[in-house]
Amino acid sequence: MRAERFSRSCPATPATSLTTSLTPSLTPSMAALLALALLLALVAMPVRAHAQGTTIGRPFSGDAGNQFEYLQFIVAEDRTLTGAIINNAPRPRRDVEVQVTAIGLESRAPVWSFKQRFSEIPPNGRVEIRAAYGRFTAEPGAFTFKFTEAAAPPPVQAPPPPDAQPGPPVSDGESPTRNFCSAIFSERGEYVLEGTGPCESVAFPLEPGLVRFEVSRKGGDPISVELRDNEKQLVATLATNSTYRNLKASSKINQALRYRLQVTHDGKWTVRVSGTGLRDFGSRPSDDDASPAEPREPQGKRFELTLE
């Protein structure tokens, strides 16, 4: 009963009447002031110009790599792309194709591409590029340059002087007749290789055919000898932990290459090589320029081995 009497004495005010009483009405002068304030705020806001970062009307140059340079490229107001390509190499560039690609200012994706081919660009030469960019193509934010060209011709090697003596080529770190552990000379139409201790011998050329090897050692330790090609691939095993003072072996050579001996031995050793097409390495060095090993001293038993 008490609650019922309270509700009657405090009637609820409609929501619409409360809202109306709290909202002030705008006079014409106040509306004009509000409109002016909004206009001033819009004028003061920074303008996001679509042309910010665009290359329209702005020349650009740079290094394109591989001794190419792009110079004074510009997209004019009539949407024409012009510029120059410079060849900074000291040689002519032949069959050159230049591809220019525009990257969209907003999309950051390719929006336009153009190719032009030049039969030759001389050393430090300049060629011009001119292309229609397109009136309705999106504004460019950047350009990329791609160059392709014909392979450069191999360098021309000067012929050897008339008095040059033919001989085996010289590898890095050794002379034609010796390295740090071995030496080679010619004797009675054979190669003679002499060395001391474990060694990868000086290189020597062999022609296709059957080649004979005679291995001798000085000292009590066994000896192992392998024939390897210029890529260090195994061609033949001439001796494996042999205790013979002297042994003979032969191997069929299939390719005309330069070969080496891989010797495993603690003492002095000698290998004589005989076959067809052997080159002349000169006579045995004098005592003042002696090879690492002493001359061959054949003695003891002989062992014959043929490798096919």
Side-chain angles (χ1 to χ4, degrees):
M1 294 297 291
R2 182 179 302 175
E4 183 179 355
R5 286 196 299 271
F6 180 80
S7 63
R8 289 177 182 175
S9 61
C10 299
T13 304
T16 53
S17 62
L18 178 62
T19 304
T20 303
S21 63
L22 294 178
T23 304
S25 59
L26 293 177
T27 64
S29 59
M30 293 177 62
L33 290 175
L34 181 59
L36 179 60
L38 290 174
L39 180 60
L40 292 175
L42 290 174
V43 172
M45 288 177 61
V47 179
R48 181 182 178 276
H50 185 69
Q52 287 183 355
T54 183
T55 55
I56 298 292
R58 299 179 183 178
F60 54 94
S61 305
D63 182 7
N66 197 22
Q67 295 184 300
F68 281 112
E69 179 184 355
Y70 54 93
L71 182 65
Q72 292 297 312
F73 269 80
I74 187 172
V75 180
E77 295 299 332
D78 63 354
R79 314 286 279 192
T80 300
L81 174 69
T82 58
I85 298 296
I86 309 297
N87 171 26
N88 291 322
R91 61 177 179 86
R93 317 293 281 271
R94 295 181 174 86
D95 195 19
V96 178
E97 182 182 83
V98 183
Q99 180 177 357
V100 185
T101 302
I103 307 300
L105 177 64
E106 294 189 351
S107 65
R108 304 298 182 185
V111 295
W112 177 86
S113 184
F114 169 79
K115 291 182 181 180
Q116 187 166 342
R117 185 178 294 274
F118 302 93
S119 59
E120 181 176 316
I121 306 178
N124 301 313
R126 169 183 178 135
V127 292
E128 303 292 333
I129 285 184
R130 183 181 182 88
Y133 183 74
R135 292 186 177 276
F136 301 102
T137 306
E139 289 194 36
F143 283 87
T144 63
F145 292 80
K146 179 181 178 182
F147 296 82
T148 57
E149 63 175 320
V156 179
Q157 296 183 353
D163 57 348
Q165 296 295 325
V170 181
S171 63
D172 294 337
E174 67 178 35
S175 74
T177 58
R178 67 172 53 246
N179 61 9
F180 73 97
C181 62
S182 68
I184 187 172
F185 59 92
S186 296
E187 186 177 85
R188 297 192 299 272
E190 297 179 332
Y191 294 154
V192 181
L193 291 101
E194 297 180 339
T196 302
C199 181
E200 183 182 86
S201 76
V202 65
F204 52 91
L206 293 176
E207 297 294 330
L210 187 64
V211 179
R212 295 176 175 82
F213 302 86
E214 184 176 350
V215 181
S216 60
R217 64 183 178 87
K218 185 176 182 180
D221 295 328
I223 187 171
S224 297
V225 182
E226 295 176 343
L227 178 67
R228 295 182 176 269
D229 61 18
N230 55 356
E231 295 183 354
K232 299 186 179 182
Q233 298 297 315
L234 178 64
V235 177
T237 300
L238 308 178
T240 303
N241 292 327
S242 174
T243 57
Y244 288 95
R245 293 284 184 178
N246 300 278
L247 64 88
K248 291 183 178 180
S250 60
S251 177
K252 185 178 181 181
I253 301 300
N254 297 319
Q255 291 181 289
L257 298 173
R258 300 174 73 230
Y259 295 84
R260 296 177 186 268
L261 296 177
Q262 186 70 49
V263 181
T264 304
H265 183 56
D266 289 337
K268 296 182 178 181
W269 50 266
T270 302
V271 178
R272 303 182 72 92
V273 183
S274 59
T276 59
L278 301 186
R279 298 182 184 179
D280 185 8
F281 279 94
S283 59
R284 191 180 192 281
S286 62
D287 293 338
D288 294 336
D289 190 25
S291 60
E294 295 180 355
R296 178 177 63 95
E297 298 180 2
Q299 55 181 329
K301 299 180 180 179
R302 293 182 179 272
F303 176 72
E304 298 285 344
L305 174 66
T306 300
L307 304 173
E308 295 294 341

